Amino acid sequence: MSNMKEELRKLADDFHQQTDNAADLTELDALRVKYMGKKGPLTAVLRSMGSLSPEERPLMGQLVNQVREEMETTLDNKKSALRIAEKNLKLASETIDISLPGSSSGSGARHPLTRVIDEICEVFLNLGYQIAEGPEIELDRYNFELLRIPEGHPARDTQDTFYMSDNILLRTQTSPVQIRVMEEQKPPLKIICPGKVYRSDTLDATHSPIFHQIEGLVVDKDVTMGDLIGSLQLFARQLFGENTKIRLRPHHFPFTEPSCEVDITCWTCGGSGCRTCKGEGWIEILGAGMVHPEVLSNCGIDPEIYSGFAFGIGVERTAMGRYGIDDIRHFYENDVRFLKQFK
Ligand code: PHE
């Protein structure tokens, strides 16, 4: 029996030492199999217990169990120590160096046209207008017919049109949205419609085949020219400053009667005359008028009961004035050196 005890002790010592030296979990598992597996020395000791006397057997059994428990504890401890070590190693290898300087993505800015559109819409939204939208590919009927511009009408010539077929075109103005709104909704109406329009103009310093307009439409009972003038006066002051005045010149649009073109006092000289306004003191920014009774009835609105006004603001012209831009082409070339100035 003392022989067996010694053997057991030696076995346990070897195991503890080797376990201590195990480098990773795989090695540790191999040791478990080697020492405690079915073919291992511990099992062999148990098997050889048959040669002991009945008194010695339980004593020896107790000892074997004690040794096995010790070995298991060692195994568990080493296992968690190795796990922690592995985790630390992984964390260390995945460290992010937060001291590296970041790469800046640079912040953009709104395009000057977008800015002017937003500012103009803001003024009218504050007056209770709602934003409306219409298609850029439009029916001849909406762009011309229902606005009292029939085929052969000279007004069609002034808006050299991109036709897609006989009755489909790229809209030449935002006014067709007036029709679309009046067909769908009934008065009281107060809408503003920003959007792109197309005319087959050759690109030069003041013309572009694509540009932007903002259409306004108000229809209700007892709407008068006075309301139109008051609204435009307020708009001009809010956008160009308290001292801005407006001037109406008689004009003709087939869909408004009476019609006018509206000038504001020059934003550069305030009205005394300078290069910006070519010595006039005034700058034209929009067309307007009282909605023609026939246009109202074209949309199923009774002109005996309702009246309205409409206006169309040229966005590019307004933006060129606000920012002192001398060539319309700057807006579309997307040269960052130009765009950066509007941050
Ligand atoms: N649609 C006209 C144009 O493009 C402008 C306008 C709008 C005039 C609304 C009167 C009323 O020239």
Side-chain angles (χ1 to χ4, degrees):
M1 159 133 167
S2 62
N3 233 359
M4 278 174 83
K5 270 189 189 166
E6 215 168 282
E7 204 180 310
L8 203 58
R9 202 59 282 156
K10 182 164 183 327
L11 188 155
D13 284 349
D14 282 356
F15 177 78
H16 292 309
Q17 203 199 327
Q18 290 197 34
T19 310
D20 211 31
N21 292 336
D24 56 37
L25 290 168
T26 332
E27 231 176 83
L28 195 65
D29 201 52
L31 284 173
R32 184 187 58 78
V33 174
K34 179 177 168 198
Y35 282 89
M36 299 162 79
K38 274 188 195 136
K39 292 175 187 157
L42 204 60
T43 318
V45 173
L46 278 172
R47 281 211 189 104
S48 61
M49 272 169 64
S51 64
L52 295 175
S53 66
E55 299 84 51
E56 285 173 327
R57 239 176 262 160
L59 290 175
M60 196 59 204
Q62 215 177 352
L63 194 63
V64 170
N65 279 338
Q66 197 187 320
V67 168
R68 183 205 290 276
E69 265 165 40
E70 268 174 38
M71 288 166 81
E72 267 164 7
T73 313
T74 308
L75 206 60
D76 284 349
N77 289 345
K78 184 68 185 180
K79 201 185 267 180
S80 31
L82 281 175
R83 282 218 178 107
I84 290 170
E86 267 180 25
K87 195 166 166 189
N88 285 340
L89 205 69
K90 197 163 175 233
L91 282 175
S93 74
E94 286 173 4
T95 310
I96 297 165
D97 183 356
I98 55 166
S99 68
L100 274 177
S103 53
S104 146
S105 61
S107 63
R110 277 181 305 165
H111 191 279
L113 289 177
T114 310
R115 253 166 90 147
V116 168
I117 290 172
D118 287 351
E119 277 177 42
I120 296 176
C121 287
E122 184 75 17
V123 171
F124 287 101
L125 286 171
N126 284 335
L127 290 173
Y129 285 66
Q130 285 181 329
I131 306 265
E133 279 185 340
E136 288 171 23
I137 299 170
E138 187 53 287
L139 296 172
D140 182 285
R141 195 176 142 73
Y142 286 114
N143 195 82
F144 290 132
E145 288 286 333
L146 294 171
L147 289 165
R148 302 184 70 253
I149 314 173
E151 229 186 300
H153 192 287
R156 289 202 181 202
D157 293 342
T158 62
Q159 303 190 352
D160 287 321
T161 312
F162 289 111
Y163 279 96
M164 315 202 55
S165 71
D166 276 354
N167 55 6
I168 296 174
L169 46 82
L170 294 179
R171 69 178 177 196
T172 61
Q173 48 187 353
T174 42
S175 302
V177 185
Q178 287 187 38
I179 305 290
R180 288 182 172 272
V181 168
M182 287 191 282
E183 273 189 354
E184 298 246 308
Q185 303 169 38
K186 293 304 148 205
L189 291 173
K190 264 173 116 172
I191 61 109
I192 193 101
C193 164
K196 287 194 189 73
V197 299
Y198 302 80
R199 293 184 195 181
S200 113
D201 277 328
T202 308
L203 189 65
D204 65 21
T206 52
H207 294 86
S208 162
I210 306 177
F211 59 102
H212 298 76
Q213 289 187 334
I214 296 183
E215 193 83 7
L217 173 72
V218 171
V219 183
D220 203 348
K221 286 174 183 154
D222 306 319
V223 175
T224 68
M225 195 85 184
D227 297 317
L228 170 64
I229 295 170
S231 306
L232 293 179
Q233 177 70 74
L234 206 118
F235 154 73
R237 281 204 201 116
Q238 291 215 5
L239 209 73
F240 295 99
E242 262 318 295
N243 297 324
T244 312
K245 292 190 188 66
I246 62 166
R247 175 177 82 173
L248 277 64
R249 281 177 292 105
H251 196 74
H252 172 76
F253 296 107
F255 41 93
T256 46
E257 179 60 36
S259 305
C260 58
E261 277 187 332
V262 179
D263 304 335
I264 62 168
T265 41
C266 174
W267 40 69
T268 306
C269 64
S272 53
C274 68
R275 261 183 65 208
T276 308
C277 55
K278 298 190 184 86
E280 299 238 334
W282 297 91
I283 294 169
E284 185 211 323
I285 55 159
L286 59 90
M290 300 306 290
V291 181
H292 196 289
E294 258 178 55
V295 173
L296 290 174
S297 49
N298 280 347
C299 303
I301 293 173
D302 186 348
E304 296 293 326
I305 303 172
Y306 293 103
S307 55
F309 65 73
F311 55 86
I313 305 170
V315 175
E316 273 76 354
R317 191 176 300 185
T318 309
M320 285 168 85
R322 288 259 355 230
Y323 300 121
I325 296 163
D326 58 4
D327 195 318
I328 200 171
R329 289 170 287 201
H330 289 311
F331 289 128
Y332 316 113
E333 282 164 355
N334 286 332
D335 183 333
V336 245
R337 290 169 302 180
F338 169 76
L339 296 174
K340 264 191 175 161
Q341 298 173 52
F342 302 93
K343 274 212 168 180

